[in-house]
Amino acid sequence: MCSGKCTRYIGHSLVWFAVLCIVANILLYFPNGETKYAYDDHLSRFVWFFAGIVGGGLLILLPAFVFIGLEEDDCCGCSCGRDNYGKRCTMLSSIMVALIGIAGSGYCVIVAALGLAEGPKCSDSHGVWNYTFANTDGQYLLEPATWSQCYEPKNIVEWNVTLFSLLLTFGGTEFILCLIQVINGVLGGICGYCCSHQQITTAILSLEATKPASYLSFLLAAAVITLP
């Protein structure tokens, strides 16, 4: 697959995952569709880190739109001229944007994992609000029978586990896609470099066998083209 097409495909995929992260994060603020728990500060502290809205959302949309906006081009941009250098620079610069996506998705993954490990903030049988599973090191995830220790909000453990797990999955996928783009950008830049020099070499050999004057003229043109 051409580097440019691969980049745009990654961009479209990242948009969908970013939207899903934002939606999952927003739902964490409204257990069972109720708003009172957010107003009373009875939500997990990791909900307020905006992992899905900022990390897996906004910081992913930026590189996603950049990737989608790349100009249509052929494989490696193999044309013997300065346009080829522009395409190579575009692919190489996309690496820097992909690093922003890696940072955002990595943040989303870390916060989601911490939220899962600590568990939700809930009311116990005595009406006391605390982190019931904070000292279990995440073992409560393997013991659904203990989830009934949270009395309010109703089904809050299932709610948090589901949404934080989604954030973890979406953020991890975004991380992989951005990492792929880093590799794709490097290969796209190298491919463009190899293509341009290969075409110059091929043209030189063909001209060398025909007209010496044309051969010398082409050498001068190639030298100008390959200037930084």
Side-chain angles (χ1 to χ4, degrees), residues 48-137:
W48 302 103
F49 282 34
F50 305 107
I53 295 176
V54 176
L58 299 180
L59 290 180
I60 292 297
L61 288 175
L62 173 61
F65 289 135
V66 171
F67 297 159
I68 294 173
L70 289 180
E71 295 181 0
E72 294 287 339
D73 57 272
D74 55 352
C75 291
C76 308
C78 293
S79 58
C80 204
R82 291 192 180 275
D83 286 344
N84 189 44
Y85 288 86
K87 293 173 183 178
R88 282 163 46 200
C89 290
T90 299
M91 291 304 300
L92 292 174
S93 62
S94 71
I95 297 174
M96 301 302 297
V97 185
L99 293 177
I100 297 177
I102 288 177
S105 58
Y107 174 73
C108 180
V109 168
I110 292 172
V111 174
L114 292 174
L116 279 173
E118 186 175 64
K121 186 178 183 180
C122 60
S123 174
D124 58 20
S125 58
H126 303 289
V128 178
W129 288 86
N130 52 36
Y131 292 94
T132 305
F133 308 106
N135 297 322
T136 65
D137 296 325

Side-chain angles (χ1 to χ4, degrees), residues 2-224:
C2 298
S3 297
K5 291 181 180 179
C6 179
T7 300
R8 287 187 290 276
Y9 176 79
I10 291 174
H12 287 292
S13 300
L14 287 176
V15 169
W16 285 106
F17 283 114
V19 171
L20 291 173
C21 279
I22 292 174
V23 171
N25 199 154
I26 292 176
L27 289 175
L28 281 169
Y29 293 104
F30 309 107
N32 305 315
E34 300 180 65
T35 60
K36 63 178 182 179
Y37 301 110
Y39 288 124
D40 296 336
D41 192 24
H42 288 157
L43 298 177
S44 169
R45 61 194 179 104
F46 289 107
V47 173
W48 302 103
F49 282 34
F50 305 107
I53 295 176
V54 176
L58 299 180
L59 290 180
I60 292 297
L61 288 175
L62 173 61
F65 289 135
V66 171
F67 297 159
I68 294 173
L70 289 180
E71 295 181 0
E72 294 287 339
D73 57 272
D74 55 352
C75 291
C76 308
C78 293
S79 58
C80 204
R82 291 192 180 275
D83 286 344
N84 189 44
Y85 288 86
K87 293 173 183 178
R88 282 163 46 200
C89 290
T90 299
M91 291 304 300
L92 292 174
S93 62
S94 71
I95 297 174
M96 301 302 297
V97 185
L99 293 177
I100 297 177
I102 288 177
S105 58
Y107 174 73
C108 180
V109 168
I110 292 172
V111 174
L114 292 174
L116 279 173
E118 186 175 64
K121 186 178 183 180
C122 60
S123 174
D124 58 20
S125 58
H126 303 289
V128 178
W129 288 86
N130 52 36
Y131 292 94
T132 305
F133 308 106
N135 297 322
T136 65
D137 296 325
Q139 291 299 316
Y140 78 96
L141 295 170
L142 305 176
E143 302 172 354
T146 63
W147 295 0
S148 60
Q149 295 179 31
C150 281
Y151 282 77
E152 190 182 3
K154 186 178 180 180
N155 300 320
I156 185 59
V157 181
E158 291 86 347
W159 187 267
N160 268 35
V161 168
T162 299
L163 293 175
F164 273 125
S165 295
L166 289 176
L167 285 177
L168 186 64
T169 302
F170 296 151
T173 305
E174 291 171 343
F175 186 91
I176 293 173
L177 288 174
C178 289
L179 186 60
I180 291 175
Q181 177 52 32
V182 171
I183 300 173
N184 180 49
V186 172
L187 293 178
I190 294 175
C191 179
Y193 179 83
C194 295
C195 285
S196 60
H197 282 68
Q198 182 180 5
Q199 286 190 332
I200 291 174
T201 302
T202 303
I204 289 175
L205 292 175
S206 62
L207 287 174
E208 188 178 19
T210 55
K211 298 180 179 179
S214 300
Y215 170 59
L216 293 175
S217 299
F218 185 81
L219 282 178
L220 292 175
V224 173

